[in-house]
PDB file of all heavy atoms in Angstrom:
ATOM      1  N   PHE N   1       0.334  -6.730  10.091  1.00 86.00           N
ATOM      2  CA  PHE N   1      -0.140  -8.035   9.604  1.00 86.00           C
ATOM      3  C   PHE N   1      -0.578  -8.016   8.177  1.00 86.00           C
ATOM      4  O   PHE N   1      -1.201  -8.990   7.702  1.00 86.00           O
ATOM      5  CB  PHE N   1      -1.257  -8.526  10.515  1.00 86.00           C
ATOM      6  CG  PHE N   1      -0.832  -8.920  11.890  1.00 86.00           C
ATOM      7  CD1 PHE N   1      -1.218  -8.198  13.011  1.00 86.00           C
ATOM      8  CD2 PHE N   1       0.017 -10.012  12.073  1.00 86.00           C
ATOM      9  CE1 PHE N   1      -0.793  -8.568  14.297  1.00 86.00           C
ATOM     10  CE2 PHE N   1       0.443 -10.385  13.335  1.00 86.00           C
ATOM     11  CZ  PHE N   1       0.046  -9.646  14.447  1.00 86.00           C
ATOM     12  N   ILE N   2      -0.253  -6.953   7.430  1.00 83.00           N
ATOM     13  CA  ILE N   2      -0.648  -6.882   6.014  1.00 83.00           C
ATOM     14  C   ILE N   2      -0.013  -8.012   5.209  1.00 83.00           C
ATOM     15  O   ILE N   2      -0.473  -8.345   4.119  1.00 83.00           O
ATOM     16  CB  ILE N   2      -0.270  -5.509   5.444  1.00 83.00           C
ATOM     17  CG1 ILE N   2      -0.986  -5.291   4.078  1.00 83.00           C
ATOM     18  CG2 ILE N   2       1.228  -5.379   5.280  1.00 83.00           C
ATOM     19  CD1 ILE N   2      -2.459  -5.178   4.168  1.00 83.00           C
ATOM     20  N   PHE N   3       1.063  -8.624   5.755  1.00 82.00           N
ATOM     21  CA  PHE N   3       1.690  -9.729   5.038  1.00 82.00           C
ATOM     22  C   PHE N   3       0.721 -10.902   4.815  1.00 82.00           C
ATOM     23  O   PHE N   3       0.960 -11.717   3.908  1.00 82.00           O
ATOM     24  CB  PHE N   3       2.938 -10.218   5.802  1.00 82.00           C
ATOM     25  CG  PHE N   3       2.652 -10.898   7.127  1.00 82.00           C
ATOM     26  CD1 PHE N   3       2.260 -12.218   7.183  1.00 82.00           C
ATOM     27  CD2 PHE N   3       2.848 -10.208   8.296  1.00 82.00           C
ATOM     28  CE1 PHE N   3       2.015 -12.840   8.400  1.00 82.00           C
ATOM     29  CE2 PHE N   3       2.597 -10.821   9.534  1.00 82.00           C
ATOM     30  CZ  PHE N   3       2.169 -12.138   9.566  1.00 82.00           C
ATOM     31  N   LEU N   4      -0.342 -10.980   5.606  1.00 85.00           N
ATOM     32  CA  LEU N   4      -1.293 -12.061   5.418  1.00 85.00           C
ATOM     33  C   LEU N   4      -1.965 -11.954   4.044  1.00 85.00           C
ATOM     34  O   LEU N   4      -2.285 -12.976   3.408  1.00 85.00           O
ATOM     35  CB  LEU N   4      -2.362 -12.029   6.520  1.00 85.00           C
ATOM     36  CG  LEU N   4      -1.883 -12.454   7.897  1.00 85.00           C
ATOM     37  CD1 LEU N   4      -2.866 -12.030   8.969  1.00 85.00           C
ATOM     38  CD2 LEU N   4      -1.657 -13.978   7.941  1.00 85.00           C
ATOM     39  N   ALA N   5      -2.186 -10.732   3.575  1.00 85.00           N
ATOM     40  CA  ALA N   5      -2.751 -10.539   2.234  1.00 85.00           C
ATOM     41  C   ALA N   5      -1.672 -10.721   1.165  1.00 85.00           C
ATOM     42  O   ALA N   5      -1.833 -11.470   0.222  1.00 85.00           O
ATOM     43  CB  ALA N   5      -3.370  -9.151   2.103  1.00 85.00           C
ATOM     44  N   TYR N   6      -0.521 -10.054   1.336  1.00 85.00           N
ATOM     45  CA  TYR N   6       0.515 -10.078   0.327  1.00 85.00           C
ATOM     46  C   TYR N   6       1.118 -11.472   0.131  1.00 85.00           C
ATOM     47  O   TYR N   6       1.330 -11.939  -0.991  1.00 85.00           O
ATOM     48  CB  TYR N   6       1.629  -9.097   0.687  1.00 85.00           C
ATOM     49  CG  TYR N   6       1.234  -7.635   0.608  1.00 85.00           C
ATOM     50  CD1 TYR N   6       2.061  -6.617   1.072  1.00 85.00           C
ATOM     51  CD2 TYR N   6      -0.003  -7.245   0.048  1.00 85.00           C
ATOM     52  CE1 TYR N   6       1.713  -5.280   0.980  1.00 85.00           C
ATOM     53  CE2 TYR N   6      -0.367  -5.919  -0.013  1.00 85.00           C
ATOM     54  CZ  TYR N   6       0.501  -4.953   0.432  1.00 85.00           C
ATOM     55  OH  TYR N   6       0.138  -3.624   0.365  1.00 85.00           O
ATOM     56  N   GLY N   7       1.426 -12.127   1.251  1.00 84.00           N
ATOM     57  CA  GLY N   7       2.023 -13.448   1.154  1.00 84.00           C
ATOM     58  C   GLY N   7       1.079 -14.475   0.556  1.00 84.00           C
ATOM     59  O   GLY N   7       1.497 -15.297  -0.255  1.00 84.00           O
ATOM     60  N   THR N   8      -0.179 -14.414   0.911  1.00 88.00           N
ATOM     61  CA  THR N   8      -1.155 -15.349   0.377  1.00 88.00           C
ATOM     62  C   THR N   8      -1.361 -15.119  -1.124  1.00 88.00           C
ATOM     63  O   THR N   8      -1.517 -16.068  -1.907  1.00 88.00           O
ATOM     64  CB  THR N   8      -2.504 -15.230   1.109  1.00 88.00           C
ATOM     65  OG1 THR N   8      -2.276 -15.385   2.505  1.00 88.00           O
ATOM     66  CG2 THR N   8      -3.481 -16.302   0.655  1.00 88.00           C
ATOM     67  N   THR N   9      -1.370 -13.861  -1.557  1.00 90.00           N
ATOM     68  CA  THR N   9      -1.549 -13.557  -2.973  1.00 90.00           C
ATOM     69  C   THR N   9      -0.494 -14.269  -3.830  1.00 90.00           C
ATOM     70  O   THR N   9      -0.819 -14.940  -4.831  1.00 90.00           O
ATOM     71  CB  THR N   9      -1.479 -12.048  -3.225  1.00 90.00           C
ATOM     72  OG1 THR N   9      -2.574 -11.412  -2.540  1.00 90.00           O
ATOM     73  CG2 THR N   9      -1.590 -11.753  -4.700  1.00 90.00           C
ATOM     74  N   GLY N  10       0.768 -14.120  -3.456  1.00 88.00           N
ATOM     75  CA  GLY N  10       1.843 -14.721  -4.243  1.00 88.00           C
ATOM     76  C   GLY N  10       1.797 -16.246  -4.249  1.00 88.00           C
ATOM     77  O   GLY N  10       1.941 -16.890  -5.290  1.00 88.00           O
ATOM     78  N   ALA N  11       1.554 -16.832  -3.050  1.00 88.00           N
ATOM     79  CA  ALA N  11       1.524 -18.289  -2.966  1.00 88.00           C
ATOM     80  C   ALA N  11       0.355 -18.866  -3.752  1.00 88.00           C
ATOM     81  O   ALA N  11       0.474 -19.889  -4.456  1.00 88.00           O
ATOM     82  CB  ALA N  11       1.438 -18.702  -1.508  1.00 88.00           C
ATOM     83  N   VAL N  12      -0.799 -18.253  -3.649  1.00 91.00           N
ATOM     84  CA  VAL N  12      -1.999 -18.708  -4.384  1.00 91.00           C
ATOM     85  C   VAL N  12      -1.818 -18.470  -5.876  1.00 91.00           C
ATOM     86  O   VAL N  12      -2.186 -19.319  -6.716  1.00 91.00           O
ATOM     87  CB  VAL N  12      -3.258 -18.005  -3.852  1.00 91.00           C
ATOM     88  CG1 VAL N  12      -4.453 -18.253  -4.792  1.00 91.00           C
ATOM     89  CG2 VAL N  12      -3.596 -18.497  -2.453  1.00 91.00           C
ATOM     90  N   GLY N  13      -1.264 -17.327  -6.242  1.00 90.00           N
ATOM     91  CA  GLY N  13      -1.072 -17.012  -7.658  1.00 90.00           C
ATOM     92  C   GLY N  13      -0.177 -18.015  -8.353  1.00 90.00           C
ATOM     93  O   GLY N  13      -0.439 -18.411  -9.505  1.00 90.00           O
ATOM     94  N   ARG N  14       0.881 -18.475  -7.710  1.00 90.00           N
ATOM     95  CA  ARG N  14       1.752 -19.476  -8.305  1.00 90.00           C
ATOM     96  C   ARG N  14       0.994 -20.758  -8.592  1.00 90.00           C
ATOM     97  O   ARG N  14       1.138 -21.376  -9.660  1.00 90.00           O
ATOM     98  CB  ARG N  14       2.964 -19.735  -7.413  1.00 90.00           C
ATOM     99  CG  ARG N  14       4.066 -18.671  -7.529  1.00 90.00           C
ATOM    100  CD  ARG N  14       5.254 -19.051  -6.684  1.00 90.00           C
ATOM    101  NE  ARG N  14       6.359 -18.124  -6.881  1.00 90.00           N
ATOM    102  CZ  ARG N  14       7.356 -18.294  -7.742  1.00 90.00           C
ATOM    103  NH1 ARG N  14       7.366 -19.392  -8.504  1.00 90.00           N
ATOM    104  NH2 ARG N  14       8.323 -17.402  -7.887  1.00 90.00           N
ATOM    105  N   ARG N  15       0.212 -21.192  -7.643  1.00 92.00           N
ATOM    106  CA  ARG N  15      -0.544 -22.447  -7.854  1.00 92.00           C
ATOM    107  C   ARG N  15      -1.634 -22.282  -8.887  1.00 92.00           C
ATOM    108  O   ARG N  15      -1.936 -23.206  -9.649  1.00 92.00           O
ATOM    109  CB  ARG N  15      -1.124 -22.928  -6.506  1.00 92.00           C
ATOM    110  CG  ARG N  15      -0.072 -23.538  -5.613  1.00 92.00           C
ATOM    111  CD  ARG N  15      -0.515 -23.594  -4.166  1.00 92.00           C
ATOM    112  NE  ARG N  15       0.519 -24.182  -3.344  1.00 92.00           N
ATOM    113  CZ  ARG N  15       1.597 -23.522  -2.923  1.00 92.00           C
ATOM    114  NH1 ARG N  15       1.784 -22.265  -3.254  1.00 92.00           N
ATOM    115  NH2 ARG N  15       2.507 -24.136  -2.170  1.00 92.00           N
ATOM    116  N   THR N  16      -2.236 -21.083  -8.951  1.00 92.00           N
ATOM    117  CA  THR N  16      -3.202 -20.813  -9.978  1.00 92.00           C
ATOM    118  C   THR N  16      -2.568 -20.885 -11.371  1.00 92.00           C
ATOM    119  O   THR N  16      -3.105 -21.504 -12.278  1.00 92.00           O
ATOM    120  CB  THR N  16      -3.841 -19.446  -9.781  1.00 92.00           C
ATOM    121  OG1 THR N  16      -4.495 -19.411  -8.477  1.00 92.00           O
ATOM    122  CG2 THR N  16      -4.868 -19.127 -10.855  1.00 92.00           C
ATOM    123  N   GLY N  17      -1.420 -20.293 -11.504  1.00 90.00           N
ATOM    124  CA  GLY N  17      -0.695 -20.313 -12.771  1.00 90.00           C
ATOM    125  C   GLY N  17      -0.258 -21.729 -13.139  1.00 90.00           C
ATOM    126  O   GLY N  17      -0.191 -22.074 -14.324  1.00 90.00           O
ATOM    127  N   ALA N  18       0.034 -22.547 -12.130  1.00 90.00           N
ATOM    128  CA  ALA N  18       0.458 -23.908 -12.369  1.00 90.00           C
ATOM    129  C   ALA N  18      -0.701 -24.841 -12.693  1.00 90.00           C
ATOM    130  O   ALA N  18      -0.510 -26.055 -12.909  1.00 90.00           O
ATOM    131  CB  ALA N  18       1.234 -24.442 -11.170  1.00 90.00           C
ATOM    132  N   GLY N  19      -1.911 -24.306 -12.705  1.00 91.00           N
ATOM    133  CA  GLY N  19      -3.082 -25.138 -12.986  1.00 91.00           C
ATOM    134  C   GLY N  19      -3.455 -26.031 -11.838  1.00 91.00           C
ATOM    135  O   GLY N  19      -3.973 -27.127 -12.037  1.00 91.00           O
ATOM    136  N   ASP N  20      -3.235 -25.553 -10.597  1.00 92.00           N
ATOM    137  CA  ASP N  20      -3.527 -26.339  -9.411  1.00 92.00           C
ATOM    138  C   ASP N  20      -4.484 -25.570  -8.502  1.00 92.00           C
ATOM    139  O   ASP N  20      -4.106 -25.071  -7.450  1.00 92.00           O
ATOM    140  CB  ASP N  20      -2.209 -26.639  -8.675  1.00 92.00           C
ATOM    141  CG  ASP N  20      -2.401 -27.481  -7.424  1.00 92.00           C
ATOM    142  OD1 ASP N  20      -3.474 -28.113  -7.295  1.00 92.00           O
ATOM    143  OD2 ASP N  20      -1.488 -27.511  -6.552  1.00 92.00           O
ATOM    144  N   PRO N  21      -5.768 -25.451  -8.907  1.00 92.00           N
ATOM    145  CA  PRO N  21      -6.713 -24.705  -8.054  1.00 92.00           C
ATOM    146  C   PRO N  21      -6.920 -25.362  -6.707  1.00 92.00           C
ATOM    147  O   PRO N  21      -7.182 -24.654  -5.723  1.00 92.00           O
ATOM    148  CB  PRO N  21      -8.006 -24.719  -8.892  1.00 92.00           C
ATOM    149  CG  PRO N  21      -7.848 -25.874  -9.823  1.00 92.00           C
ATOM    150  CD  PRO N  21      -6.400 -25.986 -10.114  1.00 92.00           C
ATOM    151  N   ARG N  22      -6.801 -26.700  -6.633  1.00 94.00           N
ATOM    152  CA  ARG N  22      -6.938 -27.358  -5.331  1.00 94.00           C
ATOM    153  C   ARG N  22      -5.813 -26.928  -4.387  1.00 94.00           C
ATOM    154  O   ARG N  22      -6.064 -26.648  -3.210  1.00 94.00           O
ATOM    155  CB  ARG N  22      -6.923 -28.882  -5.527  1.00 94.00           C
ATOM    156  CG  ARG N  22      -7.070 -29.675  -4.218  1.00 94.00           C
ATOM    157  CD  ARG N  22      -7.120 -31.172  -4.540  1.00 94.00           C
ATOM    158  NE  ARG N  22      -7.200 -31.954  -3.310  1.00 94.00           N
ATOM    159  CZ  ARG N  22      -6.155 -32.317  -2.587  1.00 94.00           C
ATOM    160  NH1 ARG N  22      -4.932 -31.982  -2.969  1.00 94.00           N
ATOM    161  NH2 ARG N  22      -6.335 -33.029  -1.495  1.00 94.00           N
ATOM    162  N   GLY N  23      -4.586 -26.889  -4.930  1.00 92.00           N
ATOM    163  CA  GLY N  23      -3.457 -26.425  -4.103  1.00 92.00           C
ATOM    164  C   GLY N  23      -3.624 -24.992  -3.674  1.00 92.00           C
ATOM    165  O   GLY N  23      -3.282 -24.608  -2.569  1.00 92.00           O
ATOM    166  N   ALA N  24      -4.168 -24.154  -4.599  1.00 92.00           N
ATOM    167  CA  ALA N  24      -4.398 -22.739  -4.254  1.00 92.00           C
ATOM    168  C   ALA N  24      -5.393 -22.613  -3.109  1.00 92.00           C
ATOM    169  O   ALA N  24      -5.212 -21.828  -2.171  1.00 92.00           O
ATOM    170  CB  ALA N  24      -4.898 -21.995  -5.483  1.00 92.00           C
ATOM    171  N   ALA N  25      -6.460 -23.413  -3.173  1.00 94.00           N
ATOM    172  CA  ALA N  25      -7.472 -23.370  -2.110  1.00 94.00           C
ATOM    173  C   ALA N  25      -6.895 -23.890  -0.797  1.00 94.00           C
ATOM    174  O   ALA N  25      -7.211 -23.365   0.280  1.00 94.00           O
ATOM    175  CB  ALA N  25      -8.685 -24.213  -2.512  1.00 94.00           C
ATOM    176  N   HIS N  26      -6.024 -24.898  -0.875  1.00 94.00           N
ATOM    177  CA  HIS N  26      -5.404 -25.462   0.339  1.00 94.00           C
ATOM    178  C   HIS N  26      -4.526 -24.386   1.014  1.00 94.00           C
ATOM    179  O   HIS N  26      -4.585 -24.220   2.235  1.00 94.00           O
ATOM    180  CB  HIS N  26      -4.572 -26.668  -0.015  1.00 94.00           C
ATOM    181  CG  HIS N  26      -3.954 -27.332   1.189  1.00 94.00           C
ATOM    182  ND1 HIS N  26      -4.697 -27.871   2.210  1.00 94.00           N
ATOM    183  CD2 HIS N  26      -2.640 -27.535   1.516  1.00 94.00           C
ATOM    184  CE1 HIS N  26      -3.900 -28.383   3.124  1.00 94.00           C
ATOM    185  NE2 HIS N  26      -2.638 -28.186   2.730  1.00 94.00           N
ATOM    186  N   VAL N  27      -3.742 -23.655   0.229  1.00 92.00           N
ATOM    187  CA  VAL N  27      -2.925 -22.573   0.759  1.00 92.00           C
ATOM    188  C   VAL N  27      -3.804 -21.506   1.409  1.00 92.00           C
ATOM    189  O   VAL N  27      -3.522 -20.989   2.481  1.00 92.00           O
ATOM    190  CB  VAL N  27      -2.042 -21.949  -0.338  1.00 92.00           C
ATOM    191  CG1 VAL N  27      -1.403 -20.650   0.142  1.00 92.00           C
ATOM    192  CG2 VAL N  27      -0.959 -22.927  -0.755  1.00 92.00           C
TER     193      VAL N  27
END
């Protein structure tokens, strides 16, 4: 289940880079 950390990192990182902290928190 380590994918829970790895998958969330990438998805949140993209939204962080896009300037969407709300979307990052939602993910």
Side-chain angles (χ1 to χ4, degrees):
F1 290 113
I2 194 65
F3 68 80
L4 289 164
Y6 291 171
T8 306
T9 297
V12 168
R14 280 184 174 266
R15 285 162 180 79
T16 300
D20 181 18
R22 180 176 178 276
H26 183 61
V27 168

